[in-house]
Amino acid sequence: MNSVNIIIGSQMGSAEYVGEQLAEQLVTQGITTEVHDQPNFSQINQENTIWLLCTSTYGAGDYPENLLSFVEDINQVNDLKGLNFSVIGLGDTSYDTYNLAGRNLEQLLVSKGAHCIAERLELNILDEELPEDTALAWLPSWIEQIKRI
C-alpha cells in the first residue's frame, strides 16, 4: 500500500471534517494521503492505494450531492477487482435510513469486485462523542489492518 485516498460525501460538512481529521492523522503516521471532497472517479488512483470513503446519509437515505456523479461512474464500471477500500458512514439513528448511503456504497463496491478491508465504521451524530473523535480513536486499528495488505 502506497497511499490512502479519502473520498468524501458530505452535505452539511460533518463527513468532510471527519475525513480531513483522518487525513491529518494519516500524514503524521507517514502515510501519503489525498482528500477528495469533490470526487471524480476517473481522477482517483485505484492501484497501490486504499480508498477510505467517508460519507454521510442525506434525506431519505440518499447520497450527498457531491457524491452523486462519483457513484454513477462506479455504476458504469464492470470490474473493480484489485481495489481495496473501507467505508465510514455518518448518520442519525433517529432515522430508519441510518447510514444507508455508507451501507449502499460498500455494497456497490463489493458488487463490482472491490475488496472491503475493514468492517464499516458507522458514526451516530447523536452520540455524546464527536464523530471525528470516534473516527480518530478507530484509526490506529485500521492502520494496522491496512499494513497487512
Side-chain angles (χ1 to χ4, degrees), residues 96-139:
D96 60 356
T97 58
Y98 172 68
N99 269 316
L100 192 57
R103 294 173 186 177
N104 288 342
L105 187 56
E106 181 178 288
Q107 185 177 38
L108 173 62
L109 289 166
V110 167
S111 76
K112 300 293 182 175
H115 175 67
C116 185
I117 59 168
E119 185 175 329
R120 180 181 55 255
L121 175 63
E122 293 190 346
L123 302 173
N124 178 12
I125 62 166
L126 298 180
D127 284 344
E128 287 184 28
E129 279 198 49
L130 296 171
E132 60 271 18
D133 291 344
T134 303
L136 288 169
W138 164 87
L139 190 63

Side-chain angles (χ1 to χ4, degrees), residues 1 29 31 50 142-149:
M1 188 265 322
Q29 299 289 318
I31 299 171
I50 294 171
W142 186 78
I143 291 171
E144 287 304 312
Q145 288 180 308
I146 67 172
K147 286 181 179 178
R148 297 184 203 133
I149 295 175

Side-chain angles (χ1 to χ4, degrees), residues 21-143:
Q21 294 293 305
L22 292 172
E24 286 179 20
Q25 189 62 36
L26 287 167
V27 168
T28 66
Q29 299 289 318
I31 299 171
T32 302
T33 305
E34 189 172 348
V35 176
H36 305 272
D37 57 4
Q38 294 296 319
N40 181 326
F41 179 79
S42 64
Q43 295 178 353
I44 302 175
N45 184 21
Q46 297 177 33
E47 296 181 23
N48 300 317
T49 189
I50 294 171
W51 285 8
L52 180 55
L53 300 111
C54 185
T55 185
S56 60
T57 298
Y58 183 68
D62 301 320
Y63 295 110
E65 286 181 27
N66 74 310
L67 204 59
L68 292 174
S69 64
F70 179 79
V71 171
E72 185 161 319
D73 288 345
I74 292 172
N75 274 310
Q76 303 303 314
V77 174
N78 292 325
D79 183 8
L80 288 175
K81 287 183 177 74
L83 174 65
N84 293 306
F85 76 95
S86 294
V87 173
I88 297 174
L90 284 85
D92 179 335
T93 54
S94 68
Y95 290 92
D96 60 356
T97 58
Y98 172 68
N99 269 316
L100 192 57
R103 294 173 186 177
N104 288 342
L105 187 56
E106 181 178 288
Q107 185 177 38
L108 173 62
L109 289 166
V110 167
S111 76
K112 300 293 182 175
H115 175 67
C116 185
I117 59 168
E119 185 175 329
R120 180 181 55 255
L121 175 63
E122 293 190 346
L123 302 173
N124 178 12
I125 62 166
L126 298 180
D127 284 344
E128 287 184 28
E129 279 198 49
L130 296 171
E132 60 271 18
D133 291 344
T134 303
L136 288 169
W138 164 87
L139 190 63
S141 65
W142 186 78
I143 291 171

